[in-house]
Amino acid sequence: MARQRIVQVEAGGIAQGLGVRPGDVLTAINGKPVVDLIDYQTFTCHRHLTLDLERQGQPYRVACAKDPYAPLGLGFEQMLMSPQRNCVNHCLFCFVDQLPAQARASLRVKDDDWRMSLMMGNFVTLTNVSDRELERIIRRRCAPLYISVHATDPQLRARMLGQPRGARIMEQLRALAQAGLSFHTQAVLCPGINDGAQLQRTMEELAALGPQALSLALVPVGLTGHREGLYPLRGFAREEARQVLEQAQAMAQGCLKRRGDPFVYPADEFYLLAGQDFPPDEAYGEYPQIENGVGLCRLLQAQYSRAWQEGGLDRARPGSAAVACGVAVAPFLRQMLAAMPVPGVQVQVYPVENRFFGPSVTVSGLLTGSDLMRAMAGVRCDRLLISQAMLREGEHVFLDGATLEQVRDALGVELIAVTDGQGLLEALAGIG
C-alpha cells in the first residue's frame, strides 16, 4: 500500500484546519491509494474529500468540502511522491554517454519519467512503462506527453534504443490516440540509420495517428568529442541535411492539406547545416517544439524585428556590444543584426568553439563558462551578451559548474544573459 509521509502543512491551509500535522502519513484519498503526485493531484480535484491518515502508527480519518481546485496545503518527502524513474535504455546515440569526465554528476542522470514529461515537457521513450502503467496514464487523462520515437519500425527502434521493449512504441501510441490523449513526438536522426526511407515511414505512421499526434520534431544527432568505445556515428553532411529538409517539407505540405497543420518540424540545426533559410514565422504556428530547438532562430528574429520596428532606440547607450554564440548560429545572427542595427552601438558577433564537449557541438545552449572565458579573453566591449539557454534553469550556472559571476569577473565586462528577441535588442542598446 502506498504511504506518503507529510513533511509540511501550510499554515492556514485546508489540511491544517483538519488537524493534519507534519509527520502524519497519507494512505488514501476517497478510499484510493495515492501512488504518486499524479494520483494526488487527480484525487484532490474534487469537492468532497475523505483522507485516510496515520499518526504514530494509529489510523485516523478526516473529511472536507472544498473548491475542486483549492490545494490541501500538504508537502511530501519527495517531489513526485515516489522515486524518479530513470532510463533503462542503451541508446546508440545517448548524449549522456558522451559527456566529458569533468561534467557535473547531475548531468549524468538519465531521466525517462513520463510524469516529468507531463509536468515539464521532458521527452521520454515509454520503455519503462508497463501495460498497467499505460492504463493508469489513460485513466488519469495525462496529456500531452512528449515522446521520443526516433523510428516507428519496431526492430530499428529496439536496436537504436538498445532495449527490446522499444519495439512496442506504435502499440503504445495507438493506445494513447484511441483514448483521445494527445502527444508530441521527436526523432533524433542518425545518418544512414533512421533517415531516408525509415524517416519517411516514421513520418507517415505518426501522422496517421490523427490529431492526437500533435507534432514531430526532427533533430540531428548530437555528437561530442568524447565517444571513445561508443557506437560509430557521424553527423549530417550538407547534402544529407538538405535531403531531410526536402522530405520533411513534402510531408508538411501534405499534412497541411489533410490535417491543417505541418505536423513535421525540422530543428533549426538542419537549416543551418543545409545553408537554407528558415520557414516564415507563421509556418511554426504556436511553436510547439521550441524547447527542442525548432523555430528558435525564426522566433528570435520575429521578436527582435517587432521590437526594432516599435522604435524607442533613441535611448540607446552609445558604445560597443559583443554577442558570444555557438558556431552554427553566428552567420544568422550577423545577418540579422546588420539588417536591423542599433544606432550608435557597434556590434560584433563572436562564434565560440566548444572545447568542453568538442568542436562538433556547435549550438549556443551547450557552451560553457570555460568556453566563454577562453574565447572572449581580450575582447574589449562595453557589454557582452549570451543566451540564457547556456545557464541552468533558474540559476546563474553553466554546464561546467562555472557561474555567471565568475565569467563576468574573469572577463571584466558587463555580462548579460538574454532570453528573447526583445531582450536581445534592449541589451544591445543598453536600455534593458
Side-chain angles (χ1 to χ4, degrees), residues 92-106:
L92 55 85
F93 53 84
C94 178
F95 194 82
V96 175
D97 290 344
Q98 306 176 64
L99 292 177
Q102 64 271 33
R104 294 197 318 263
S106 60

Side-chain angles (χ1 to χ4, degrees), residues 187 189 199 203 216-220 241 243-250 252 262-272 276 278-279 283-284 289 292-296:
L189 298 184
L199 170 59
M203 293 189 297
L216 167 62
L218 306 181
V219 183
Q243 175 61 33
V244 169
L245 292 179
E246 184 178 321
Q247 284 183 262
Q249 289 158 1
F263 178 65
V264 180
Y265 299 91
D268 289 9
E269 287 180 77
F270 273 117
Y271 291 96
L272 296 171
Q276 293 188 7
F278 297 106
Y284 290 100
Q289 297 247 21
N292 214 1
V294 176
L296 277 171

Side-chain angles (χ1 to χ4, degrees), residues 191-210:
I193 297 178
N194 62 332
D195 56 349
Q198 286 291 350
L199 170 59
Q200 193 65 34
R201 172 176 176 173
T202 297
M203 293 189 297
E204 291 175 357
E205 291 188 348
L206 290 177
L209 293 175

